[in-house]
Every structure is written in C-alpha cells, then in structure tokens.
Amino acid sequence: MILNFINGQYRQGRGGRSFSDMNPVDGSLIAQVSEATREDVDDAVNAARDALAGPWGALKLSQRCDLLYAVAAEIDRRAEDFVAAEVADTGKPRSLASHLDIPRGAANFRVFADAVRNVATETFTSHAPDGEPTLNYALRRPKGVVAVICPWNLPLLLMTWKVGPALACGNTVVVKPSEETPATAALLGEVMNSVGIPKGVYNVVHGFGPESAGEFLTTHPGVDAITFTGETRTGAAIIRASAAGIKPVSMELGGKNPAVVFDDADLDATIAGLTRSVFENSGQVCLGTERVYVQRRIFDAVVQRLASAAARLRPGRPEDPATTLGPLISAEHQRKVLDYFALAKAEGATAVCGGGVPDVSHELKAGAWVEPTVWTGVAHESRVAREEIFGPCCAVIPFETEAEALRMANDTPYGLAASVYTSDVARAHRFAGALRVGVVWVNSWFVRDLRTPFGGSGASGIGREGGVHSLEFYTELSNVCIKF
Ligand SMILES: NC(=O)c1ccc[n+]([C@@H]2O[C@H](COP(=O)([O-])OP(=O)(O)OC[C@H]3O[C@@H](n4cnc5c(N)ncnc54)[C@H](O)[C@@H]3O)[C@@H](O)[C@H]2O)c1
Ligand SMILES: O=C/C=C/C=C(\O)C(=O)O
C-alpha cells in the first residue's frame, strides 16, 4: 500500500478507501494507494502550520539550506530506489528516469538553497518631507503553508521544482501528487525523515481532484498559497477554488509548442533536437513540440528524416536497454491520443509514420502504447495543430517567409515554449525575441539552467519560477521605513 505522509508519519486515509496504481507498460497492478479524506488533508495542513510555528520556523537560513542540501544528497544516494519507483509508475525508459527525472529531483533542492543564500533585498535612503533622513529596507518572509498539486509526466522533477523553493523560502508544504504517479512523492517522505527535516514540513496526501484530496487542499482555509502544474482547464478550476480565499496561485499549464526550422539550419542538429522534443517521454512533456514549421526548400528532407528517426524508436520494458519509447501514462490517455490520431486522419492528414498502436509483444499488449507519429497535410488552423495532444506526435507544416513562420508560431492561446533552428545568429535573436512564449531554445531543446525564469503566459500559465524568480512567489515582501 502506498500511504499518505502526514506529520512525519506514513498512514492510511481515515476513510479506509484506496485506489489502484497501475503499470502503464503492461496494465498490471503496482500497488493500492491510500486515499486521503478531507480530515486527512486537514491534519496535513495543521501539521504544516505547526511546523512553521515550531522547529522549522525557528531554523536559521543557513541551517535550512544545509538541510535541503542533505535532502539532495539523500536522493542521490537512493537514486536507484527513486528510479525504480518512477519507472514503475510511468513506464518511462530507465535511461530517461536515471538521467533526467531523478537527478533533477536532487538539483531542484540545491538550486533554491543557493538562491536564497545569495539573494539580496533592497534598501533606499531618502528624506522625509520635513527633511529628516529615512531608510527603507525590504524583508522577505515565507508565505506559510503551500499546497503543491502535481502532474504525472515528470512526477519527482515537477513536484520538487515546487517543493524545493517553497522549503528554501521557509514555507511548509502539503503535496498532492497525481493519482497516476504517487510513488516518488511518498518515497521522498523517507528522505525528509532520514535527514532530519522536522515533522510536518513535508506532507503528502493521495487522491484525485474534484471531491477528493486535490479539491480539499485547494479550498482549505489553512492553505496560504497554491502552486499547480497540470492541464489548463484544471488550472482554471483551481483558480476558481482559490478565489474565495484570495490565495496566490502559481500556474504551470499546457502548451502547443512550435519548432521553426529555417532552410539554413544544421539538419543533423535539427533532427536530433526534434526527435527529442517530439518523442521524449512519449511526447508527455509540456515543453514538447507538437507543431513543426519547416521552410519549404527543406520540408521534404526534414519530414523524411524525422519520420525515419521516429520509426527507429523501440517500445519495450523500461529496464531493457534497447527500449527508446515508453507507453503513455494510462489507458485513458492512450484513448485520448488515439482519438487525435483518428481526428488527424479525418482532417486530411497523412501519417508519414505511425498513426496507430505499435506491434508489441503479447505480455505488453495491455500497456498504453501508441506509435510515434509524424503528420503532413495538416492545416495550421486544424484542431490537431491547435490543441494539446500530449503524445509522441507532431504536425509538420511548410512556410515560405520568416514573417509567415512567426505569425503561425504565435497563433495559439498558449505561450509556453518554442525552439528555433537556424545558422543565422541575427535571425535567431530576432525571431526568439518575437516569439510570445516563456522559454525559447535555439538549435537545442530542454537545456535547462535552473536559475533562469521558467513558465508560460496565456493558456500556459501564470508566473515564472526558477532561481530568484521563485522567491517572488514563495515569499511575501514587506518594506520597513525608518525615519531618523
Ligand atoms: N507548464 C508546465 O511546466 C507543465 C509541466 C508538466 C505538465 N504540464 C501539463 O500538465 C498536463 C498533464 O498532467 P495531468 O494530466 O496530470 O494534469 P491534470 O490537470 O489532469 O492533473 C494535475 C493534478 O491536478 C489534480 N487535479 C485535477 N483536478 C483538480 C481540481 N479540481 N482541484 C485540485 N486538483 C486537481 C490531479 O489530481 C493531478 O494531481 C498537460 O496539460 C501538460 O501540458 C505543464
Ligand atoms: O513537462 C513539463 C516540463 C517542465 C520542466 C520543468 O519545469 C523544468 O525543467 O524545470
């Protein structure tokens, strides 16, 4: 049984209810997960409040940062346990979990311990109307109890991307991991206890959204702030739920990210970048590419090379070193993606490769598999080119001029990420600056400096996190004016 973690202890939900954690590779049962009740969520929020008023709130900054570094070191020491848990929950290849998900789980604690250690606050000297000198200085204090609601695609990475800065800033947290991927959030409780994070600082409640732990948490009067990563429509529901309490929210939402390939691009680097941004994590990355705009002259070459790269991806068990493609997270998500495959066909698309379910071995047939897919013949205005699919697929669409490419790339309610491939440095800077997204990669993808601002606008979210930018959300600034 995967248990809730409240006030430093693992425990069953009071309602005695549980739900199944399924392995998306073969549809087998991994474990039952104990569902938290409203009372359990209340206990978790109260434990977080008590920790703030108790040992955690009394810690010096340097002690807090040293503890977060200890958390990172313990995640590294137990990397194998975290990889096994993440791989079981998601079905992603071991190589991906061990090189991306888990190392970032540790890095997300270190980067924010460093940020709070080194961040300055401001002071101003001036004079009052009566001519007497004044000194103004700013103070940062923790927001308090932060609700952290997480998605299933990069479970530990995205949860610690929020818990790291929240704790570094002196807050306490109640985490509600996705019902699809509860394991690593629960396991992190063992790390917190083993390094000496006081009880109540880090809490985990399992369940779903509406009328379950997610909603109980976002509507709880004892929660001071909500940080959410997930679908845009869920973000809207959480903002509505938070409105009554005027709670600050940080929203990392969906995307329909473009890649723009100019005809002077390095084709090898372009295909390598696109293969990752379209198919990595089976396309279940918010920053992933689902629209590829290619300048006409090299359109056919890019289509063929990307389709060949897709065809080389090998579905299989995570622990098989030959596996380069995992399943989607669930049968439900598989049905959603396959519905988009059918829609693409109905909208007149040509599947240059993929478009269905791969022929996997008998033992894997119950897994949530779809083929990596490259479409041509998709109109820029079509649903397949406008709606987030969140699978291993992309529409490749030709363009003639830079202006046309920019218009199409920006023609979306989202504003999260983009990638641009060109050898023309001036054009790279010009085009990147004109894209209305939060993150632009040039001749690359998902290369991350964790000190940089990260986040989206429009339907992709509210706020920026990363480095000192996270401190704006996880602290309250106040100003003190002294008149001499
Ligand atoms: N912008 C980013 O950084 C980023 C990162 C990863 C994923 N995402 C987005 O997340 C989505 C995939 O993740 P998902 O399917 O888990 O998202 P989701 O919105 O379905 O669920 C996310 C979390 O919210 C919870 N939840 C659902 N309804 C809720 C409610 N009413 N109140 C409180 N909690 C609720 C879920 O239980 C889950 O823990 C994609 O749209 C992807 O683009 C965005
Ligand atoms: O699926 C979305 C990935 C988000 C990644 C980050 O938030 C990050 O790299 O910090």
Side-chain angles (χ1 to χ4, degrees):
M1 178 77 76
I2 295 178
L3 297 174
N4 302 286
F5 183 73
I6 297 173
N7 206 27
Q9 292 187 324
Y10 287 97
R11 66 183 231 200
Q12 295 243 16
R14 292 189 199 197
R17 289 171 50 176
S18 68
F19 56 92
S20 299
D21 181 16
M22 304 304 287
N23 182 337
V25 169
D26 57 14
S28 62
L29 175 68
I30 301 169
Q32 286 302 111
V33 187
S34 173
E35 183 172 0
T37 63
R38 191 185 295 273
E39 292 72 22
D40 294 311
V41 170
D42 195 44
D43 289 349
V45 173
N46 291 336
R49 177 70 54 198
D50 292 348
L52 271 178
W56 183 246
L59 280 183
K60 297 181 183 61
L61 175 68
S62 60
Q63 294 169 309
R64 200 162 69 224
C65 294
D66 291 346
L67 274 173
L68 295 185
Y69 258 78
V71 168
E74 185 66 1
I75 292 172
D76 285 343
R77 190 184 73 80
R78 295 194 58 183
E80 273 311 302
D81 297 337
F82 279 96
V83 168
E86 203 76 299
V87 159
D89 267 357
T90 61
K92 67 177 71 187
R94 269 188 61 85
S95 55
L96 184 59
S98 53
H99 288 99
L100 173 63
D101 298 73
I102 306 314
R104 273 291 310 277
N108 288 343
F109 285 98
R110 295 192 183 98
V111 67
F112 293 109
D114 293 345
V116 295
R117 266 197 237 265
N118 300 309
V119 69
T121 48
E122 59 202 27
T123 62
F124 296 96
T125 55
S126 57
H127 290 83
D130 65 5
E132 294 303 318
T134 59
L135 168 70
N136 283 274
Y137 62 92
L139 291 174
R140 285 187 184 282
R141 64 178 186 279
K143 270 202 163 67
V145 176
V146 179
V148 182
I149 312 263
C150 317
W152 45 255
N153 61 317
L154 302 170
L156 185 71
L157 187 157
L158 289 166
M159 182 264 288
T160 56
W161 181 240
K162 309 299 192 148
V163 170
L167 300 190
C169 292
N171 302 286
T172 55
V173 297
V174 181
V175 173
K176 212 295 289 176
S178 171
E179 54 278 20
E180 304 286 359
T181 53
T184 45
L187 182 57
L188 189 60
E190 292 181 16
V191 170
M192 296 295 178
N193 281 349
S194 67
V195 305
I197 296 279
K199 65 183 184 178
V201 171
Y202 173 83
N203 303 279
V204 178
V205 290
H206 296 298
F208 304 85
E211 298 175 8
S212 186
E215 186 175 323
F216 301 156
L217 193 50
T218 54
T219 56
H220 193 291
V223 164
D224 297 303
I226 300 167
T227 182
F228 170 72
T229 301
E231 289 195 15
T232 298
R233 63 166 179 263
T234 309
I238 291 173
I239 290 171
R240 284 194 295 273
S242 68
I246 317 290
K247 291 188 173 71
V249 293
S250 168
M251 290 278 145
E252 301 280 5
L253 306 178
K256 189 68 175 182
N257 311 308
V260 179
V261 184
F262 289 96
D263 61 14
D264 65 348
D266 172 328
L267 263 193
D268 292 341
T270 301
I271 298 303
L274 290 177
T275 303
R276 284 192 58 228
S277 68
V278 175
F279 303 116
E280 189 160 284
N281 208 43
S282 291
Q284 299 169 126
V285 181
C286 63
L287 303 161
T289 301
E290 295 192 358
R291 300 183 282 153
V292 183
Y293 297 102
V294 180
Q295 203 154 23
R296 176 76 66 183
R297 186 174 67 79
I298 60 167
F299 180 81
D300 291 343
V302 170
V303 168
Q304 289 316 317
R305 288 189 59 174
L306 187 57
S308 302
R312 287 195 294 272
L313 294 172
R314 286 286 166 271
R317 286 201 173 279
E319 59 279 0
D320 180 346
T323 298
T324 49
L325 181 78
L328 297 177
I329 190 65
S330 66
E332 180 190 356
H333 189 53
Q334 180 196 32
R335 276 192 298 276
K336 171 189 168 184
V337 173
L338 289 175
D339 284 348
Y340 274 104
F341 283 15
L343 175 64
K345 199 169 180 180
E347 288 184 323
T350 300
V352 180
C353 67
V357 177
D359 182 18
V360 293
S361 62
H362 178 69
E363 56 163 7
L364 302 186
K365 286 233 183 282
W369 300 98
V370 297
E371 289 179 314
T373 299
V374 176
W375 292 299
T376 56
V378 173
H380 162 73
E381 299 75 16
S382 68
R383 285 183 56 201
V384 163
R386 296 188 66 74
E387 297 173 12
E388 181 181 65
I389 300 170
F390 220 54
C393 51
C394 68
V396 189
I397 300 169
F399 71 89
E400 302 290 349
T401 67
E402 182 176 322
E404 183 191 4
L406 183 64
R407 179 185 61 77
M408 292 196 288
N410 280 335
D411 180 25
T412 168
Y414 293 104
L416 186 54
S419 40
V420 183
Y421 293 89
T422 179
S423 302
D424 180 335
V425 175
R427 172 155 60 193
H429 288 290
R430 179 174 66 243
F431 200 81
L435 286 166
R436 288 200 300 277
V437 292
V439 186
V440 182
W441 281 286
V442 176
N443 300 330
S444 58
W445 179 72
F446 206 10
V447 178
R448 291 278 290 115
D449 180 325
L450 305 186
R451 298 165 298 179
T452 56
F454 180 93
S457 48
S460 291
I462 300 172
R464 292 295 181 271
E465 301 200 20
V468 295
H469 307 284
S470 296
L471 312 191
E472 293 312 315
F473 180 72
Y474 292 105
T475 62
E476 287 291 351
L477 262 181
S478 55
N479 180 71
V480 178
C481 174
I482 297 187
K483 185 169 178 296
F484 294 95

